[in-house]
């Protein structure tokens, strides 16, 4: 007890020093904590900004691809529309020419219309396959592979000059291909119509 009475001033001074150090520590910690919180907030804001920017780019890219998809399917549907109109011309005769450039009168056949339409559709899909649906691509790859295999021999014989009448020989190959795969070709054309109508419904909703 005497010790406390004798040294109370020193004890109070020590307690005061400790209190000051504690207050300084608390102040330092608070500043560090606030600084850390601000850093975290800035980091979160940056991440949010990056995500929003990425989302915006993705949204713009999606819009661009969708517009391209619309144009491609419009072109495909246009070919189907022309195909249907040409079917009414089947059996009629039109001016043409043979392999020697001589004038001929050629009858328009259903095979002519189907294969010509098929070739135009092949070209459109080949140039824009990235925006074609997976389902349509599967059908396209199947029918295109069959078409190429069917015409490969003709192409080879034509290249080596082993065909006397290329036009007549090609018509035989073309007619045979159409006769064998008529149902697949019809299904392919109908699939294009169906997918185009689905896109149109999306635009109208």
């Amino acid at each position: 007890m005497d010790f406390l009475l004798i040294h109370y001033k020193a004890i109070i001074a020590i307690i005061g020093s400790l209190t000051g150090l504690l207050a300084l520590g608390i102040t330092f910690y608070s500043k560090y904590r606030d600084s850390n919180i601000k850093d975290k907030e800035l980091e979160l804001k940056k991440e949010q900004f990056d995500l929003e920017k990425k989302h915006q780019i993705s949204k713009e890219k999606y819009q661009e691809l969708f517009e391209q998809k619309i144009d491609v399917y419009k072109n495909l549907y246009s070919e189907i529309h022309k195909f249907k109109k040409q079917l009414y011309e089947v059996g009629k005769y039109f001016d043409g020419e043979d392999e020697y450039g001589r004038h001929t009168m050629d009858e328009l056949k259903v095979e002519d219309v189907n294969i010509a339409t098929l070739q135009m559709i092949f070209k459109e899909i080949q140039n824009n396959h990235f925006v074609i649906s997976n389902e349509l691509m599967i059908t396209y790859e199947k029918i295109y592979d069959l078409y190429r295999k069917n015409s490969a021999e003709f192409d080879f014989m034509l290249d080596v000059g082993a065909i006397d009448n290329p036009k007549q020989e090609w018509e035989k190959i073309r007619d045979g291909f159409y006769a064998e795969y008529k149902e697949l070709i019809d299904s392919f054309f109908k699939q294009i119509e169906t997918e185009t109508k689905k896109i149109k419904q999306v635009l109208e909703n």
Side-chain angles (χ1 to χ4, degrees), residues 14-27:
I14 291 170
I15 293 172
S17 297
L18 290 174
T19 304
L21 286 172
L22 181 62
L24 182 63
I26 292 172
T27 302

PDB file of all heavy atoms in Angstrom, residues 14-27:
ATOM      1  N   ILE A  14       2.593   5.968 -16.196  1.00  0.00           N
ATOM      2  CA  ILE A  14       2.716   4.755 -17.034  1.00  0.00           C
ATOM      3  C   ILE A  14       1.373   4.395 -17.666  1.00  0.00           C
ATOM      4  O   ILE A  14       1.283   4.067 -18.843  1.00  0.00           O
ATOM      5  CB  ILE A  14       3.248   3.581 -16.176  1.00  0.00           C
ATOM      6  CG1 ILE A  14       4.708   3.833 -15.777  1.00  0.00           C
ATOM      7  CG2 ILE A  14       3.142   2.266 -16.944  1.00  0.00           C
ATOM      8  CD1 ILE A  14       5.233   2.858 -14.745  1.00  0.00           C
ATOM      9  N   ILE A  15       0.333   4.461 -16.800  1.00  0.00           N
ATOM     10  CA  ILE A  15      -1.013   4.158 -17.326  1.00  0.00           C
ATOM     11  C   ILE A  15      -1.389   5.126 -18.446  1.00  0.00           C
ATOM     12  O   ILE A  15      -1.947   4.755 -19.469  1.00  0.00           O
ATOM     13  CB  ILE A  15      -2.060   4.213 -16.188  1.00  0.00           C
ATOM     14  CG1 ILE A  15      -1.816   3.066 -15.201  1.00  0.00           C
ATOM     15  CG2 ILE A  15      -3.474   4.154 -16.752  1.00  0.00           C
ATOM     16  CD1 ILE A  15      -2.667   3.138 -13.938  1.00  0.00           C
ATOM     17  N   GLY A  16      -1.020   6.410 -18.221  1.00  0.00           N
ATOM     18  CA  GLY A  16      -1.306   7.419 -19.258  1.00  0.00           C
ATOM     19  C   GLY A  16      -0.567   7.113 -20.537  1.00  0.00           C
ATOM     20  O   GLY A  16      -1.111   7.249 -21.636  1.00  0.00           O
ATOM     21  N   SER A  17       0.685   6.682 -20.418  1.00  0.00           N
ATOM     22  CA  SER A  17       1.482   6.338 -21.606  1.00  0.00           C
ATOM     23  C   SER A  17       0.879   5.143 -22.340  1.00  0.00           C
ATOM     24  O   SER A  17       0.772   5.119 -23.565  1.00  0.00           O
ATOM     25  CB  SER A  17       2.926   6.023 -21.190  1.00  0.00           C
ATOM     26  OG  SER A  17       3.531   7.153 -20.612  1.00  0.00           O
ATOM     27  N   LEU A  18       0.499   4.123 -21.519  1.00  0.00           N
ATOM     28  CA  LEU A  18      -0.113   2.938 -22.126  1.00  0.00           C
ATOM     29  C   LEU A  18      -1.422   3.280 -22.829  1.00  0.00           C
ATOM     30  O   LEU A  18      -1.727   2.761 -23.906  1.00  0.00           O
ATOM     31  CB  LEU A  18      -0.360   1.877 -21.045  1.00  0.00           C
ATOM     32  CG  LEU A  18       0.901   1.210 -20.461  1.00  0.00           C
ATOM     33  CD1 LEU A  18       0.528   0.294 -19.291  1.00  0.00           C
ATOM     34  CD2 LEU A  18       1.635   0.420 -21.541  1.00  0.00           C
ATOM     35  N   THR A  19      -2.214   4.163 -22.183  1.00  0.00           N
ATOM     36  CA  THR A  19      -3.478   4.589 -22.801  1.00  0.00           C
ATOM     37  C   THR A  19      -3.219   5.313 -24.116  1.00  0.00           C
ATOM     38  O   THR A  19      -3.918   5.105 -25.116  1.00  0.00           O
ATOM     39  CB  THR A  19      -4.256   5.514 -21.849  1.00  0.00           C
ATOM     40  OG1 THR A  19      -4.467   4.835 -20.602  1.00  0.00           O
ATOM     41  CG2 THR A  19      -5.588   5.919 -22.443  1.00  0.00           C
ATOM     42  N   GLY A  20      -2.182   6.144 -24.101  1.00  0.00           N
ATOM     43  CA  GLY A  20      -1.831   6.874 -25.336  1.00  0.00           C
ATOM     44  C   GLY A  20      -1.395   5.934 -26.440  1.00  0.00           C
ATOM     45  O   GLY A  20      -1.779   6.084 -27.605  1.00  0.00           O
ATOM     46  N   LEU A  21      -0.536   4.948 -26.038  1.00  0.00           N
ATOM     47  CA  LEU A  21      -0.083   3.957 -27.039  1.00  0.00           C
ATOM     48  C   LEU A  21      -1.259   3.149 -27.580  1.00  0.00           C
ATOM     49  O   LEU A  21      -1.332   2.844 -28.772  1.00  0.00           O
ATOM     50  CB  LEU A  21       0.948   3.016 -26.389  1.00  0.00           C
ATOM     51  CG  LEU A  21       2.340   3.611 -26.137  1.00  0.00           C
ATOM     52  CD1 LEU A  21       3.199   2.651 -25.317  1.00  0.00           C
ATOM     53  CD2 LEU A  21       3.024   3.938 -27.473  1.00  0.00           C
ATOM     54  N   LEU A  22      -2.178   2.767 -26.675  1.00  0.00           N
ATOM     55  CA  LEU A  22      -3.360   2.007 -27.095  1.00  0.00           C
ATOM     56  C   LEU A  22      -4.213   2.820 -28.064  1.00  0.00           C
ATOM     57  O   LEU A  22      -4.683   2.309 -29.088  1.00  0.00           O
ATOM     58  CB  LEU A  22      -4.171   1.611 -25.866  1.00  0.00           C
ATOM     59  CG  LEU A  22      -5.443   0.771 -26.155  1.00  0.00           C
ATOM     60  CD1 LEU A  22      -5.058  -0.543 -26.812  1.00  0.00           C
ATOM     61  CD2 LEU A  22      -6.208   0.520 -24.851  1.00  0.00           C
ATOM     62  N   ALA A  23      -4.406   4.116 -27.730  1.00  0.00           N
ATOM     63  CA  ALA A  23      -5.199   4.998 -28.597  1.00  0.00           C
ATOM     64  C   ALA A  23      -4.531   5.148 -29.957  1.00  0.00           C
ATOM     65  O   ALA A  23      -5.186   5.149 -30.998  1.00  0.00           O
ATOM     66  CB  ALA A  23      -5.369   6.364 -27.929  1.00  0.00           C
ATOM     67  N   LEU A  24      -3.167   5.259 -29.922  1.00  0.00           N
ATOM     68  CA  LEU A  24      -2.422   5.387 -31.177  1.00  0.00           C
ATOM     69  C   LEU A  24      -2.563   4.129 -32.019  1.00  0.00           C
ATOM     70  O   LEU A  24      -2.743   4.175 -33.237  1.00  0.00           O
ATOM     71  CB  LEU A  24      -0.944   5.658 -30.861  1.00  0.00           C
ATOM     72  CG  LEU A  24      -0.018   5.880 -32.072  1.00  0.00           C
ATOM     73  CD1 LEU A  24      -0.443   7.138 -32.839  1.00  0.00           C
ATOM     74  CD2 LEU A  24       1.435   6.008 -31.608  1.00  0.00           C
ATOM     75  N   GLY A  25      -2.491   2.975 -31.293  1.00  0.00           N
ATOM     76  CA  GLY A  25      -2.646   1.690 -31.999  1.00  0.00           C
ATOM     77  C   GLY A  25      -4.025   1.561 -32.619  1.00  0.00           C
ATOM     78  O   GLY A  25      -4.183   1.097 -33.744  1.00  0.00           O
ATOM     79  N   ILE A  26      -5.047   1.959 -31.842  1.00  0.00           N
ATOM     80  CA  ILE A  26      -6.423   1.898 -32.358  1.00  0.00           C
ATOM     81  C   ILE A  26      -6.597   2.804 -33.568  1.00  0.00           C
ATOM     82  O   ILE A  26      -7.220   2.437 -34.565  1.00  0.00           O
ATOM     83  CB  ILE A  26      -7.426   2.264 -31.247  1.00  0.00           C
ATOM     84  CG1 ILE A  26      -7.426   1.175 -30.168  1.00  0.00           C
ATOM     85  CG2 ILE A  26      -8.828   2.452 -31.827  1.00  0.00           C
ATOM     86  CD1 ILE A  26      -8.231   1.538 -28.928  1.00  0.00           C
ATOM     87  N   THR A  27      -6.009   4.012 -33.477  1.00  0.00           N
ATOM     88  CA  THR A  27      -6.098   4.964 -34.599  1.00  0.00           C
ATOM     89  C   THR A  27      -5.422   4.406 -35.844  1.00  0.00           C
ATOM     90  O   THR A  27      -5.953   4.477 -36.953  1.00  0.00           O
ATOM     91  CB  THR A  27      -5.442   6.304 -34.210  1.00  0.00           C
ATOM     92  OG1 THR A  27      -6.097   6.828 -33.050  1.00  0.00           O
ATOM     93  CG2 THR A  27      -5.540   7.294 -35.350  1.00  0.00           C
TER      94      THR A  27
END
